[in-house]
C-alpha cells in the first residue's frame, strides 16, 4: 500500500485499493518521490504527477550493471544479495522466463527488457548499453551467472560496448558486479544427499558453443580421473540423444553400478528426482530442465541418500614407513 494524500473510499470499494493515479505516480517515480500535482479528475481520466528524487534511468547519473543469479527455481533459492540487486535496479534485463521468475519483485517504475532464448549476446549488449546510458541494471540469469550463463559473455563484450577498450576501463566507467546464485547442480545435490561432496566437475552436454568431440574428451577425462560429474544441458529437442551418447562414453570408464541422479526443475513446481545407476539410466528421463549427477567410485546410496565419501581409505603404511 502506498501512502497518498487523497485516498478514496469510493475508489477502494470499486477497485480494491484507495488510490490509483497518485499511488501509480509515486511508485513509478521511485524511492523518495514527491507528489507535485495531486489527483485531477475529469469525466474520462484521473491524473497525478510525482517527481523522482533522482533521475529515473538515463541522463547524467552513473549507471551500473549487476549480473544477478536467481537460483534454479523457486524463491527459496534466491540469495539476499540477489533480492537487494533486483529491488535497487531501475532496469531488469533477461531471458523472458527468467524475468517472469522474479515478477513478484518487479515494480511499475522498473523498465523490463525481455530477451529471446539463445540470444545471450543481444541481452548482454542491451544490459551494457542501458548501464552506459545511466541506468542501474540487473541482468538476470538462472542459477549462477558464472555457470554456463550470462556473466562470461557480458564481461567479454563490456570493453567494446562501453567503448573503453582497455581491461580496467569498463569497471571504472560503469561498475559491473556478478552476484552469485545457487547453481542447479548444488541445488540438485542437496535434494539427493551429498553426491558432489568430493572432487567433481561441472560439464555441459550442449554443443552450441563447443564441439561434441571436446565434450566427449571432457567426459572421458573427468570420469577417468575419478571425479563425480554434474551434467548441465543433458538433453533438449535439438539434442535428444546427447545424454544417451554421454552414458555410452561414461560406461567405457565407469562401472554400471555408479549411482546417478536425474534432477528436474529443482526448486520449481515440477521438481522431480530419479535416483538410478549408470547402467539403468534411461536418458529420456531427462529434459532441458534437468541436471544429471553421476557419482564416482566413492559414491553410494546410504539410507536412501546419495553420498560421495570424502574420507577415502588410505593404503596401509609400508614397514619402512612405520
Ligand atoms: C544454460 S544452463 C544454465 C545454468 C545455470 N546458470 C545454473 O547455474 O544452474 C541451463 C541448464 O541448467 C540446468 N538447470 C537450470 N535450472 C534447473 C533446475 N531448476 N533444475 C534442474 N536443472 C536446471 C539444466 O541442466 C539446464 O539445461
Amino acid at each position: 500500500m502506498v501512502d497518498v494524500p487523497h485516498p478514496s473510499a469510493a475508489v477502494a470499494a470499486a477497485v480494491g485499493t484507495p488510490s490509483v493515479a497518485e499511488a501509480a505516480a509515486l511508485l513509478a517515480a521511485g524511492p523518495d518521490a514527491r507528489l507535485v500535482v495531486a489527483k485531477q479528475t475529469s469525466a474520462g481520466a484521473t491524473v497525478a504527477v510525482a517527481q523522482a528524487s533522482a533521475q529515473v534511468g538515463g541522463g547524467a547519473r552513473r549507471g551500473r550493471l549487476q549480473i544477478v543469479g536467481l537460483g534454479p527455481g523457486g524463491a527459496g533459492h534466491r540469495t539476499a544479495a540477489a533480492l537487494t540487486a533486483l529491488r535497487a535496479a531501475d532496469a531488469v534485463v533477461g531471458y523472458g522466463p527468467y524475468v517472469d521468475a522474479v515478477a513478484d519483485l518487479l515494480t511499475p517504475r522498473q523498465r523490463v527488457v525481455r530477451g529471446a532464448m539463445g540470444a545471450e549476446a543481444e541481452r548482454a549488449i542491451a544490459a551494457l548499453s542501458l548501464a552506459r546510458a545511466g541506468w542501474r541494471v540487473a541482468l538476470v540469469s538462472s542459477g549462477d551467472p558464472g555457470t554456463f550463463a550470462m556473466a562470461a559473455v557480458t564481461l567479454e563484450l563490456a570493453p567494446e560496448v562501453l567503448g573503453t577498450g582497455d581491461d580496467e576501463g569498463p569497471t571504472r566507467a560503469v561498475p559491473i558486479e556478478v552476484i552469485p546464485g545457487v547453481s542447479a547442480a548444488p541445488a540438485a545435490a542437496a535434494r539427493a544427499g551429498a553426491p558432489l561432496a568430493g572432487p567433481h566437475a561441472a560439464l555441459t552436454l550442449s554443443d552450441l558453443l563447443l564441439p561434441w568431440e571436446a565434450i566427449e574428451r571432457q567426459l572421458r577425462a573427468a570420469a577417468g580421473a575419478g571425479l563425480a560429474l554434474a551434467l548441465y544441458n543433458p538433453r533438449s529437442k535439438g539434442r535428444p540423444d546427447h545424454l544417451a551418447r554421454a552414458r555410452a562414453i561414461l560406461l567405457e570408464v565407469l562401472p554400471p553400478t555408479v549411482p546417478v541422479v536425474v534432477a528436474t526443475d529443482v526448486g520449481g513446481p515440477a521438481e522431480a528426482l530419479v535416483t538410478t545407476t549408470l547402467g539403468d539410466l534411461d536418458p529420456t528421463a531427462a529434459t532441458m530442465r534437468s541436471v544429471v549427477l553421476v557419482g564416482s567410485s566413492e559414491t553410494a546410496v546410504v539410507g536412501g541418500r546419495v553420498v560421495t565419501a570424502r574420507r577415502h581409505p588410505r593404503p596401509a603404511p609400508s614397514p619402512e614407513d612405520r
Side-chain angles (χ1 to χ4, degrees):
M1 191 74 76
V2 184
D3 231 1
V4 294
H6 305 102
S8 156
V11 172
V15 298
T17 177
S19 168
V20 177
E22 292 182 349
L26 285 166
L27 276 176
D32 303 324
R34 171 173 88 81
L35 204 64
V36 288
V37 178
K39 70 176 173 183
Q40 309 287 309
T41 49
S42 71
T46 303
V47 175
V49 179
Q51 186 176 38
S53 64
Q55 183 149 351
V56 181
R61 199 181 61 183
R62 188 170 181 236
R64 71 158 190 230
L65 173 59
Q66 291 180 303
I67 310 170
V68 183
L70 301 178
H77 282 125
R78 290 178 193 153
T79 66
L83 290 175
T84 303
L86 279 161
R87 291 194 176 118
D90 46 37
V92 177
V93 181
Y95 171 47
Y98 301 158
V99 174
D100 293 341
V102 290
D104 56 314
L105 298 171
L106 303 183
T107 67
R109 78 175 172 84
Q110 289 174 314
R111 178 169 175 178
V112 174
V113 180
R114 301 161 60 92
M117 184 154 80
E120 291 192 351
E122 284 85 341
R123 268 178 273 149
I125 291 168
L128 287 161
S129 305
L130 283 169
R132 181 182 174 167
W135 294 74
R136 287 179 302 181
V137 183
L139 173 58
V140 295
S141 190
S142 88
D144 174 59
T147 306
F148 307 126
M150 291 301 299
V153 65
T154 309
L155 294 172
E156 278 170 351
L157 287 168
E160 192 186 326
V161 179
L162 299 175
T164 53
D166 69 67
D167 283 347
E168 290 299 312
T171 36
R172 253 204 323 266
V174 172
I176 302 178
E177 189 184 4
V178 181
I179 309 278
V182 178
S183 191
R191 293 285 201 249
L196 303 180
H200 60 274
L203 303 182
T204 173
L205 299 190
S206 166
D207 61 354
L208 279 182
L209 299 174
L210 79 166
W212 177 254
E213 299 68 46
I215 296 171
E216 288 194 356
R217 277 199 304 277
Q218 291 165 1
L219 285 165
R220 281 198 186 88
L227 303 177
L229 307 177
L231 306 179
Y232 287 74
N233 302 298
R235 203 163 161 262
S236 69
K237 280 200 190 107
R239 308 182 294 275
D241 61 341
H242 280 199
L243 184 56
R245 287 158 73 181
R247 174 180 170 274
I249 289 161
L250 292 174
L251 280 169
E252 293 170 14
V253 284
L254 293 174
T257 49
V258 160
V260 169
V261 176
V262 180
T264 303
D265 194 35
V266 178
E271 177 172 311
L273 228 69
V274 175
T275 301
T276 181
T277 61
L278 190 58
D280 289 341
L281 171 65
D282 170 10
T284 64
T287 71
M288 66 183 291
R289 286 283 292 167
S290 305
V291 64
V292 178
L293 310 179
V294 181
S296 70
S297 59
E298 305 301 327
T299 309
V301 179
V302 184
R305 313 300 295 276
V306 184
V307 180
T308 299
R310 296 182 58 216
R311 211 179 296 110
H312 298 182
R314 294 180 198 283
S318 64
E320 302 87 72
D321 294 335
R322 286 196 189 119

